[in-house]
PDB file of all heavy atoms in Angstrom:
ATOM      1  N   CYS A  67     176.557 108.087 -68.972  1.00 97.00           N
ATOM      2  CA  CYS A  67     177.177 107.519 -67.759  1.00 97.00           C
ATOM      3  C   CYS A  67     176.852 106.071 -67.501  1.00 97.00           C
ATOM      4  O   CYS A  67     177.342 105.493 -66.535  1.00 97.00           O
ATOM      5  CB  CYS A  67     176.691 108.423 -66.515  1.00 97.00           C
ATOM      6  SG  CYS A  67     177.469 109.983 -66.441  1.00 97.00           S
ATOM      7  N   GLY A  68     176.056 105.513 -68.337  1.00 97.00           N
ATOM      8  CA  GLY A  68     175.735 104.076 -68.262  1.00 97.00           C
ATOM      9  C   GLY A  68     174.489 103.758 -67.439  1.00 97.00           C
ATOM     10  O   GLY A  68     174.190 102.539 -67.223  1.00 97.00           O
ATOM     11  N   ALA A  69     173.740 104.801 -67.025  1.00 98.00           N
ATOM     12  CA  ALA A  69     172.434 104.550 -66.376  1.00 98.00           C
ATOM     13  C   ALA A  69     171.303 104.351 -67.318  1.00 98.00           C
ATOM     14  O   ALA A  69     171.363 104.873 -68.435  1.00 98.00           O
ATOM     15  CB  ALA A  69     172.170 105.712 -65.425  1.00 98.00           C
ATOM     16  N   LEU A  70     170.239 103.599 -66.904  1.00 98.00           N
ATOM     17  CA  LEU A  70     169.051 103.599 -67.646  1.00 98.00           C
ATOM     18  C   LEU A  70     168.326 104.916 -67.492  1.00 98.00           C
ATOM     19  O   LEU A  70     168.210 105.350 -66.302  1.00 98.00           O
ATOM     20  CB  LEU A  70     168.234 102.406 -67.291  1.00 98.00           C
ATOM     21  CG  LEU A  70     166.821 102.358 -67.899  1.00 98.00           C
ATOM     22  CD1 LEU A  70     166.884 102.037 -69.381  1.00 98.00           C
ATOM     23  CD2 LEU A  70     165.963 101.322 -67.172  1.00 98.00           C
ATOM     24  N   VAL A  71     167.820 105.544 -68.484  1.00 98.00           N
ATOM     25  CA  VAL A  71     166.990 106.724 -68.357  1.00 98.00           C
ATOM     26  C   VAL A  71     165.587 106.438 -68.493  1.00 98.00           C
ATOM     27  O   VAL A  71     165.240 105.824 -69.525  1.00 98.00           O
ATOM     28  CB  VAL A  71     167.497 107.861 -69.322  1.00 98.00           C
ATOM     29  CG1 VAL A  71     166.532 109.007 -69.301  1.00 98.00           C
ATOM     30  CG2 VAL A  71     168.935 108.330 -68.932  1.00 98.00           C
ATOM     31  N   VAL A  72     164.832 106.851 -67.562  1.00 96.00           N
ATOM     32  CA  VAL A  72     163.339 106.737 -67.669  1.00 96.00           C
ATOM     33  C   VAL A  72     162.860 108.184 -67.672  1.00 96.00           C
ATOM     34  O   VAL A  72     163.038 108.981 -66.837  1.00 96.00           O
ATOM     35  CB  VAL A  72     162.714 106.021 -66.390  1.00 96.00           C
ATOM     36  CG1 VAL A  72     161.195 106.027 -66.462  1.00 96.00           C
ATOM     37  CG2 VAL A  72     163.258 104.603 -66.279  1.00 96.00           C
ATOM     38  N   THR A  73     162.127 108.594 -68.866  1.00 95.00           N
ATOM     39  CA  THR A  73     161.768 109.974 -68.992  1.00 95.00           C
ATOM     40  C   THR A  73     160.406 110.032 -69.654  1.00 95.00           C
ATOM     41  O   THR A  73     159.935 109.141 -70.332  1.00 95.00           O
ATOM     42  CB  THR A  73     162.854 110.651 -69.906  1.00 95.00           C
ATOM     43  OG1 THR A  73     162.477 112.017 -70.069  1.00 95.00           O
ATOM     44  CG2 THR A  73     162.928 110.046 -71.288  1.00 95.00           C
ATOM     45  N   ASN A  74     159.870 111.220 -69.483  1.00 94.00           N
ATOM     46  CA  ASN A  74     158.522 111.476 -70.209  1.00 94.00           C
ATOM     47  C   ASN A  74     158.890 111.595 -71.744  1.00 94.00           C
ATOM     48  O   ASN A  74     160.002 111.909 -72.135  1.00 94.00           O
ATOM     49  CB  ASN A  74     157.864 112.748 -69.782  1.00 94.00           C
ATOM     50  CG  ASN A  74     158.790 113.953 -69.913  1.00 94.00           C
ATOM     51  OD1 ASN A  74     159.729 114.148 -69.245  1.00 94.00           O
ATOM     52  ND2 ASN A  74     158.421 114.877 -70.845  1.00 94.00           N
ATOM     53  N   GLU A  75     157.977 111.138 -72.540  1.00 94.00           N
ATOM     54  CA  GLU A  75     158.261 111.058 -73.975  1.00 94.00           C
ATOM     55  C   GLU A  75     157.878 112.381 -74.643  1.00 94.00           C
ATOM     56  O   GLU A  75     157.065 113.133 -74.136  1.00 94.00           O
ATOM     57  CB  GLU A  75     157.458 109.914 -74.605  1.00 94.00           C
ATOM     58  CG  GLU A  75     155.910 110.042 -74.515  1.00 94.00           C
ATOM     59  CD  GLU A  75     155.145 108.867 -74.942  1.00 94.00           C
ATOM     60  OE1 GLU A  75     155.863 107.807 -75.281  1.00 94.00           O
ATOM     61  OE2 GLU A  75     153.942 108.953 -75.077  1.00 94.00           O
ATOM     62  N   ASN A  76     158.594 112.670 -75.769  1.00 94.00           N
ATOM     63  CA  ASN A  76     158.199 113.685 -76.689  1.00 94.00           C
ATOM     64  C   ASN A  76     158.612 113.222 -78.088  1.00 94.00           C
ATOM     65  O   ASN A  76     159.311 112.194 -78.245  1.00 94.00           O
ATOM     66  CB  ASN A  76     158.707 114.984 -76.238  1.00 94.00           C
ATOM     67  CG  ASN A  76     160.200 115.150 -76.453  1.00 94.00           C
ATOM     68  OD1 ASN A  76     160.830 114.730 -77.341  1.00 94.00           O
ATOM     69  ND2 ASN A  76     160.833 115.884 -75.422  1.00 94.00           N
ATOM     70  N   ALA A  77     158.177 114.020 -79.071  1.00 96.00           N
ATOM     71  CA  ALA A  77     158.422 113.620 -80.417  1.00 96.00           C
ATOM     72  C   ALA A  77     159.911 113.473 -80.807  1.00 96.00           C
ATOM     73  O   ALA A  77     160.333 112.543 -81.499  1.00 96.00           O
ATOM     74  CB  ALA A  77     157.761 114.634 -81.424  1.00 96.00           C
ATOM     75  N   TYR A  78     160.710 114.408 -80.316  1.00 96.00           N
ATOM     76  CA  TYR A  78     162.165 114.425 -80.600  1.00 96.00           C
ATOM     77  C   TYR A  78     162.781 113.119 -80.011  1.00 96.00           C
ATOM     78  O   TYR A  78     163.498 112.410 -80.687  1.00 96.00           O
ATOM     79  CB  TYR A  78     162.841 115.636 -80.051  1.00 96.00           C
ATOM     80  CG  TYR A  78     164.350 115.581 -80.264  1.00 96.00           C
ATOM     81  CD1 TYR A  78     164.972 115.792 -81.518  1.00 96.00           C
ATOM     82  CD2 TYR A  78     165.221 115.229 -79.232  1.00 96.00           C
ATOM     83  CE1 TYR A  78     166.322 115.749 -81.726  1.00 96.00           C
ATOM     84  CE2 TYR A  78     166.563 115.189 -79.355  1.00 96.00           C
ATOM     85  CZ  TYR A  78     167.152 115.427 -80.646  1.00 96.00           C
ATOM     86  OH  TYR A  78     168.545 115.373 -80.798  1.00 96.00           O
TER      87      TYR A  78
END
Side-chain angles (χ1 to χ4, degrees):
C67 287
L70 172 67
V71 169
V72 177
T73 185
N74 58 292
E75 62 186 8
N76 70 39
Y78 176 78

